[in-house]
Amino acid sequence: LSAAQRKFAHSLRDFKFEFIGDAETDDERCIDASLCEFSNFLKNLEEQREILALSVTETLIKPLEKFRKEQLGAVKEEKKKFDKETEKNYSLLEKHLNLSAKKKEPQLLEADFQVEQNRKHFYELSLEYVCKLQEIQERKKFECVEPVLSFFQGMFTFYHQGYELAKDFNHYKMALQINIQNTRNRFEGARWEVEELMNKIRRNPQEHKRANQFTIEGYLYVQEKRPAPFGSSWIKHYCMYRKETKKFTMIPFEHRSGGKMGDGDIFFLTCCTKRNMDTIDRRFCFDIEATDRFVTPVTMQAFSEEDRKLWMEALDGKEALFINLNRANTKREGSAQLDKIGFTILRKCISAVETRGINDQGLYRVVGVSSKVQRLLSLLMDAKTCSEIDLENSVDWEVKTITSAMKQYLRSLPEPLMTYELHGEFIIPAKSGSPESRVNAIHFLVHKLPEKNKEMLDILVKHLAKKSVSDHAKKNLMTVANLGVVFGPTLMRPQEETVAALMDLKFQNIVVEILIENHEKIFRTLPDATFSEPISMSVSPPNAPPRQSRRQGQRNKRPLAVYNLCLELDNVDNHSPSREDTPTGSMDSLSSQSPTPAISSSPPEIDKNHLILESGDLADWATNHPSQIRSSMVSWLNTQSPAIPTSATRTPTRSSFPFPVSVSGSDRQAESVTNRRARAVYPCEAEHSSELSFQIGAVFEDVQFSREPGWLEGTLNGRRGLIPQNYVQFL
């Protein structure tokens, strides 16, 4: 069992899900990290099991072996001696009794004396043997039971330590349950959207062709003529054409070999001509001519007559039938607009929901009957009937019909509330950055929205935020995460509906969650004046390294494995400014090989939003400090070398940081220089009254080494306190 669990722990430690797209959500990163934490749990549990196995040998088997050899062995020797003396005594007695009465008196007296002496000796020996038997029988009752008691004490300790380990890891289990539920909800939402897209594509494939730089692209068969008598062959190519430059690209393609077979040909088109059936024995063919490329026209075959018409139109071919290729860009059906009627619809629906159905289970997730929803929406969008409908008191319209009509109105807008233009910019901060930086980025982008979009978004999010839908989550079961799943695709639908775009659904949900959780800040305050643009997803602000636990000394009395585990958990707890909102980057470095981030030089100044660097130094800083970009918390926690003692991994090594690291008391005294200054390279939130809170760039005065390992003492804004040593850089 132990070997199997160790193997399983090793597999969990190295396991990481692959994912589609360019980033994972926090929940997905946390799922990977939680599996690694469970690996640590199993590893620590098996360490305790090894300790138990050793204690069984020391506390049970060896004492019983010692008792058997020393005590029972001594009794066996006594028994042999007693048996020997017994035989001797009875032999002498038998011999004495056989003496003749005719012997002389002195001889008889001497024989009687010998028998008496032997009897006394045998009597004393018998007493000793009986006493030894009594002693060994009584000694068994405590000397044999004491090892058994010690064994069970070890068993009790093992299971108690397992219970303590389980308590220490319980928050990982609870967090994982939430992560799994959020991931499942996002999956269900994405699956529904994908199925809708599939149905749309089935109904009209041409309207859902991918929008890109090419006027037309697709597969064509190209006729390649061979020397006589071999005739010709038809080779499948993937062809792309740009009408503006008349640039035509074709790449050989063979599906049996897995795709592209070689380099493509690029040429500039001169003309295109349709081939008649009487000139060639294949259907759907046309000829193209190129500038300085082909001596004779090249014959190509489309897949169908409709396909040939599309190619002929795009290539300006003769006899082309012009078909609108931009149907995908036409407006969606419906006349929903961001006008007075639209705001009236939204306010009527919200008022009805808050009055009648705020506690309905599955609010906004349970959909109404399609025909009723369309009828209600048509009545609401008609200026003549909109004012006459009383949704708050009417029994004709169910709450689910009202919520579905409101969502349908938002989906029917020509452009989503959060606009196509800003769609990609909203997605970027949802994929990376700390919780604070995400909120700041979303805050900034919301205020870039058109005024009507921002106003309607404000009304909707206020309804979904606290004191409304999400505040009644215990009854209606609509948590912030669930609301994100429902309204993410509604408020942030992509301009181009593709499966690749749907992979960003989970990040759309995160954006909506941020809007709901930070409604007051985002819509009631202006963005920070120092914040100019959201940071690129390719560069994330550095994440703070784990702090040395100040409770380490109090845990030395605990068993080694439990102590190590608790120390690691403390470091994780102390890692980020907020224990509830772990930075996104903190879970995305499971495969990193660096135990702690190395800082080779002072980073550029960073503003208080931790997002933008002065003088456009962002790219240079990202290049010169790659180790700071990678998150370090989980990798520091899980990739420790087994050859290094556990205690050695708790603080950075001397080579990891540019400031002095004390090794002994004398060294600390020698290196503690008065009035020495240091600058914060990571933000920190105090978790004890003796610690200091600070942001990046804070300058500490009179910095000295503390008696706490891994901590410094310094003064900031007139207050003196403890500072994590690996959070600062000496000036």
Side-chain angles (χ1 to χ4, degrees):
L1 175 63
S2 179
Q5 290 195 158
R6 282 184 175 277
K7 186 176 180 181
F8 184 49
H10 183 77
S11 299
L12 284 179
R13 185 195 67 192
D14 298 335
F15 181 78
K16 186 173 177 62
F17 283 107
E18 294 181 354
F19 60 92
I20 298 175
D22 55 5
E24 293 179 291
T25 64
D26 288 351
D27 291 312
E28 291 167 342
R29 295 189 187 100
C30 288
I31 287 173
D32 284 329
S34 295
L35 294 179
C36 287
E37 293 302 335
F38 290 148
S39 168
N40 289 338
F41 172 78
L42 285 178
K43 183 178 70 175
N44 280 275
L45 191 65
E46 292 313 312
E47 287 178 358
Q48 297 302 322
R49 197 189 298 275
E50 282 188 357
I51 294 174
L52 175 64
L54 292 174
S55 68
V56 169
T57 302
E58 295 295 328
T59 61
L60 179 64
I61 297 176
K62 286 188 176 180
L64 290 178
E65 285 288 332
K66 183 179 179 181
F67 179 82
R68 183 181 64 81
K69 291 178 180 179
E70 295 182 359
Q71 301 298 329
L72 296 183
V75 172
K76 288 181 178 180
E77 292 297 324
E78 289 285 335
K79 184 176 184 304
K80 289 179 180 178
K81 183 178 179 182
F82 175 74
D83 290 340
K84 184 178 180 180
E85 290 296 327
T86 300
E87 183 65 28
K88 179 181 178 181
N89 179 66
Y90 286 121
S91 296
L92 184 61
L93 181 61
E94 185 178 349
K95 183 180 178 180
H96 179 66
L97 294 176
N98 289 330
L99 282 176
S100 172
K102 296 179 180 180
K103 291 284 187 180
K104 294 180 180 181
E105 187 65 24
Q107 290 179 334
L108 294 174
L109 291 175
E110 183 181 356
D112 291 341
F113 178 76
Q114 288 181 353
V115 169
E116 182 63 20
Q117 288 295 112
N118 189 69
R119 186 192 64 77
K120 289 181 179 180
H121 176 68
F122 177 69
Y123 185 71
E124 291 178 0
L125 193 63
S126 300
L127 289 177
E128 290 178 3
Y129 178 60
V130 171
C131 182
K132 193 66 176 178
L133 289 175
Q134 180 70 18
E135 176 186 336
I136 200 65
Q137 291 296 337
E138 295 300 320
R139 190 184 289 270
K140 285 179 183 178
K141 296 175 184 177
F142 58 88
E143 290 204 6
C144 288
V145 178
E146 276 181 344
V148 176
L149 174 62
S150 298
F151 165 72
F152 280 106
Q153 185 62 38
M155 291 287 291
F156 298 152
T157 302
F158 169 72
Y159 285 109
H160 176 72
Q161 289 169 350
Y163 171 74
E164 292 293 328
L165 280 175
K167 284 203 305 184
D168 289 340
F169 278 88
N170 187 60
H171 65 284
Y172 288 109
K173 185 193 75 172
M174 300 302 296
L176 183 59
Q177 290 176 343
I178 297 172
N179 298 145
I180 292 172
Q181 186 60 45
N182 291 343
T183 304
R184 183 188 297 276
N185 291 341
R186 293 190 181 110
F187 163 75
E188 294 292 343
R191 184 174 64 175
W192 184 86
E193 293 289 338
V194 169
E195 289 174 352
E196 284 293 303
L197 176 59
M198 289 169 59
N199 293 332
K200 291 178 183 178
I201 294 175
R202 288 192 190 103
R203 288 193 295 267
N204 199 338
Q206 295 300 330
E207 288 190 1
H208 289 82
K209 286 198 171 182
R210 194 158 57 103
N212 55 34
Q213 58 180 329
F214 300 107
T215 305
I216 190 171
E217 61 181 328
Y219 291 103
L220 292 171
Y221 281 92
V222 179
Q223 185 183 34
E224 293 188 358
K225 296 181 179 180
R226 297 181 180 181
F230 298 106
S232 62
S233 61
W234 294 83
I235 306 299
K236 189 177 182 181
H237 287 69
Y238 190 79
C239 302
M240 297 161 282
Y241 177 69
R242 294 190 65 176
K243 196 168 188 176
E244 298 81 8
T245 60
K246 292 188 176 295
K247 185 178 180 181
F248 196 100
T249 304
M250 58 182 192
I251 303 171
F253 187 91
E254 173 55 59
H255 66 274
R256 294 186 184 89
S257 60
K260 188 173 67 171
M261 294 191 303
D263 296 331
D265 288 335
I266 300 176
F267 54 87
F268 293 92
L269 186 72
T270 302
C271 66
C272 172
T273 308
K274 179 180 177 181
R275 290 290 295 267
N276 295 324
M277 292 286 292
D278 55 354
T279 62
I280 192 169
D281 62 350
R282 287 194 171 218
R283 299 189 299 166
F284 322 133
C285 293
F286 59 91
D287 292 340
I288 61 172
E289 297 181 21
T291 305
D292 300 330
R293 177 65 178 84
F294 302 116
V295 178
T296 58
V298 176
T299 302
M300 296 187 173
Q301 183 184 28
F303 284 6
S304 64
E305 184 61 32
E306 179 70 17
D307 192 27
R308 179 168 68 172
K309 290 178 182 179
L310 293 174
W311 278 99
M312 292 289 291
E313 177 195 5
L315 300 174
D316 293 325
K318 299 175 184 178
E319 300 183 27
L321 297 176
F322 293 96
I323 300 172
N324 183 15
L325 289 176
N326 297 320
R327 285 176 293 182
N329 295 326
T330 58
K331 289 186 177 181
R332 293 170 174 262
E333 296 182 0
S335 57
Q337 299 293 330
L338 281 176
D339 52 11
K340 183 178 179 180
I341 292 180
F343 279 91
T344 302
I345 293 172
L346 189 69
R347 290 191 173 99
K348 273 181 170 288
C349 292
I350 288 176
S351 177
V353 170
E354 292 182 352
T355 303
R356 298 172 51 192
I358 198 68
N359 292 322
D360 289 4
Q361 287 191 4
L363 183 67
Y364 287 110
R365 295 207 74 160
V366 179
V367 296
V369 178
S370 179
S371 58
K372 289 185 178 180
V373 173
Q374 291 296 338
R375 181 164 168 260
L376 173 60
L377 189 57
S378 62
L379 291 173
L380 289 172
M381 294 177 68
D382 189 337
K384 298 178 182 178
T385 58
C386 181
S387 59
E388 299 175 359
I389 299 178
D390 183 8
L391 296 178
E392 293 185 19
N393 302 308
S394 175
V395 295
D396 297 333
W397 307 107
E398 296 176 287
V399 173
K400 63 181 180 181
T401 304
I402 298 172
T403 57
S404 297
M406 185 175 80
K407 291 189 293 181
Q408 185 60 42
Y409 160 74
L410 293 171
R411 293 194 195 102
S412 300
L413 291 170
E415 192 175 20
L417 277 185
M418 300 175 76
T419 72
Y420 293 135
E421 180 183 0
L422 296 177
H423 179 87
E425 295 185 46
F426 274 110
I427 292 294
I428 288 173
K431 291 183 177 181
S432 61
S434 66
E436 181 183 358
S437 67
R438 292 180 182 183
V439 174
N440 289 336
I442 302 300
H443 189 188
F444 173 80
L445 291 170
V446 165
H447 287 265
K448 288 180 66 176
L449 290 171
E451 195 59 35
K452 285 187 176 180
N453 294 57
K454 186 173 72 173
E455 182 182 353
M456 183 170 285
L457 185 64
D458 181 12
I459 295 171
L460 176 62
V461 175
K462 181 181 179 181
H463 165 63
L464 301 177
K466 289 185 176 179
K467 299 183 180 178
S468 193
V469 177
S470 63
D471 198 42
H472 293 75
K474 289 185 178 179
K475 294 183 178 179
N476 59 35
L477 306 182
M478 293 305 292
T479 62
V480 174
N482 287 337
L483 291 172
V485 170
V486 172
F487 283 94
T490 301
L491 301 178
M492 292 187 64
R493 68 175 185 267
Q495 185 170 10
E496 186 181 6
E497 290 184 291
T498 64
V499 175
L502 293 179
M503 289 300 102
D504 282 339
L505 266 180
K506 52 192 177 186
F507 300 109
Q508 297 172 21
N509 303 343
I510 291 173
V511 173
V512 175
E513 291 174 26
I514 292 173
L515 290 175
I516 296 173
E517 291 174 339
N518 302 275
H519 170 262
E520 289 298 321
K521 175 180 178 179
I522 291 175
F523 291 95
R524 301 291 175 263
T525 63
L526 293 175
D528 196 322
T530 62
F531 189 89
S532 59
E533 287 291 342
I535 193 166
S536 169
M537 65 171 289
S538 61
V539 180
S540 58
N543 294 300
R547 291 190 286 178
Q548 172 73 20
S549 171
R550 293 182 55 246
R551 295 185 289 273
Q552 175 178 345
Q554 302 173 10
R555 299 184 177 180
N556 288 338
K557 296 181 180 180
R558 302 182 67 179
L560 180 60
V562 179
Y563 159 72
N564 291 342
L565 170 66
C566 293
L567 185 58
E568 291 174 358
L569 292 178
D570 275 343
N571 283 325
V572 173
D573 286 343
N574 294 336
H575 167 71
S576 60
S578 171
R579 294 189 182 190
E580 296 178 358
D581 299 325
T582 306
T584 306
S586 67
M587 294 299 177
D588 113 342
S589 60
L590 299 179
S591 59
S592 172
Q593 298 301 315
S594 174
T596 52
I599 305 176
S600 57
S601 61
S602 177
E605 292 292 333
I606 304 177
D607 74 350
K608 64 183 178 181
N609 292 297
H610 313 155
L611 291 174
I612 52 174
L613 307 177
E614 295 181 357
S615 307
D617 291 334
L618 181 60
D620 178 66
W621 175 79
T623 303
N624 295 332
H625 303 276
S627 60
Q628 296 184 30
I629 298 175
R630 293 195 309 268
S631 171
S632 62
M633 181 183 73
V634 179
S635 62
W636 175 87
L637 185 62
N638 293 324
T639 59
Q640 300 170 3
S641 170
I644 302 175
T646 307
S647 59
T649 63
R650 301 294 171 245
T651 55
T653 61
R654 181 177 290 272
S655 61
S656 297
F657 298 95
F659 42 77
V661 179
S662 61
V663 178
S664 64
S666 59
D667 293 337
R668 185 183 297 115
Q669 295 298 329
E671 292 177 353
S672 297
V673 181
T674 306
N675 295 326
R676 187 153 197 184
R677 302 168 72 234
R679 182 198 295 123
V681 294
Y682 300 101
C684 178
E685 181 178 352
E687 296 185 351
H688 191 271
S689 59
S690 62
E691 301 174 17
L692 294 178
S693 296
F694 50 87
Q695 297 296 326
I696 294 177
V699 177
F700 303 93
E701 304 290 340
D702 192 18
V703 179
Q704 299 181 12
F705 284 98
S706 168
R707 289 173 295 181
E708 298 282 353
W711 291 75
L712 303 171
E713 291 182 9
T715 303
L716 177 64
N717 298 329
R719 183 171 178 267
R720 191 162 184 82
L722 293 173
I723 312 159
Q725 182 172 322
N726 51 354
Y727 273 52
V728 301
Q729 187 175 37
F730 280 93
L731 300 176

